[in-house]
Amino acid sequence: MDSEAPLSLDHGIPDPETYLPGTPPWVWWLVVAAVLLSLLLLWFIISYFRPSKVTPPSLPKRDFYAAASRSLRELEEDAHSRPLAEVAAHSSLAIRVYLAGSLSEPALYETVEEFKARQPNLPREAEALLSDLNDAKYSRSTIDPERARDFIDRSKQCLKTIHSAQNVTT
């Protein structure tokens, strides 16, 4: 007798597994369907609670020309009592805000020389006006209603020219 083999008694009783029925195929199909349904439910829950990719609404297009024109009209009302440097600064700012907004130009942050060097197709009157406004902004300032009126009129005309040239190209 082998000392390492477990003892067994042959008593003629078969294993209990032989008396159990087999698993029917429909149970396996039910298990597969339950797993698939669980995966589908899990995917739905994850996609439902995940933050959606929301695109921000587009901003309405602003009318920079009207804003610049309004700014020049407001300046025109009290230009006769303001120093010429202040009138020149506000006129230049109105034109630069228009250029910055409508053409996405960095005109607000550049000197006149930098702006002119980068703008080969800038109308001559705009180039001359920006240079004159620059000179008036940084020179000794007095109240001069006639020159202030001239700056505002030239700024309005320059704004119209730039706006009409931009509308032709777009």
Side-chain angles (χ1 to χ4, degrees):
M1 190 162 206
D2 190 12
S3 64
E4 293 184 19
L7 296 174
S8 67
L9 297 174
D10 189 22
H11 47 73
I13 301 175
D15 290 333
E17 286 83 19
T18 57
Y19 295 110
L20 295 176
T23 307
W26 63 269
V27 171
W28 292 114
W29 286 110
L30 189 65
V31 168
V32 168
V35 168
L36 289 176
L37 190 62
S38 297
L39 289 175
L40 185 64
L41 183 65
L42 182 65
W43 175 77
F44 177 74
I45 289 172
I46 289 173
S47 65
Y48 182 75
F49 288 111
R50 184 183 330 179
S52 62
K53 297 176 183 174
V54 177
T55 57
S58 63
L59 297 175
K61 190 171 182 177
R62 291 185 53 199
D63 188 8
F64 294 103
Y65 178 74
S69 295
R70 187 177 341 102
S71 175
L72 288 172
R73 277 194 309 274
E74 291 170 0
L75 179 62
E76 188 174 27
E77 293 173 3
D78 62 348
H80 62 280
S81 63
R82 288 183 168 191
L84 191 59
E86 190 176 326
V87 172
H90 284 283
S91 296
S92 176
L93 183 63
I95 292 171
R96 287 170 177 260
V97 166
Y98 172 75
L99 290 170
S102 64
L103 300 176
S104 299
E105 283 289 332
L108 284 173
Y109 312 105
E110 293 178 329
T111 64
V112 174
E113 292 79 16
E114 289 172 331
F115 182 69
K116 286 191 305 189
R118 212 177 34 74
Q119 289 293 329
N121 56 356
L122 190 67
R124 288 186 195 266
E125 68 181 67
E127 199 172 300
L129 175 65
L130 288 174
S131 293
D132 291 346
L133 291 174
N134 191 45
D135 292 342
K137 281 191 296 190
Y138 298 112
S139 64
R140 184 177 296 268
S141 182
T142 58
I143 296 177
D144 188 353
E146 188 176 314
R147 276 190 74 197
R149 176 82 180 161
D150 180 52
F151 279 156
I152 293 171
D153 290 340
R154 287 175 61 197
S155 296
K156 286 180 179 179
Q157 185 57 40
C158 176
L159 198 60
K160 285 180 188 175
T161 304
I162 294 171
H163 183 66
S164 64
Q166 179 187 356
N167 286 339
V168 169
T169 58
T170 57

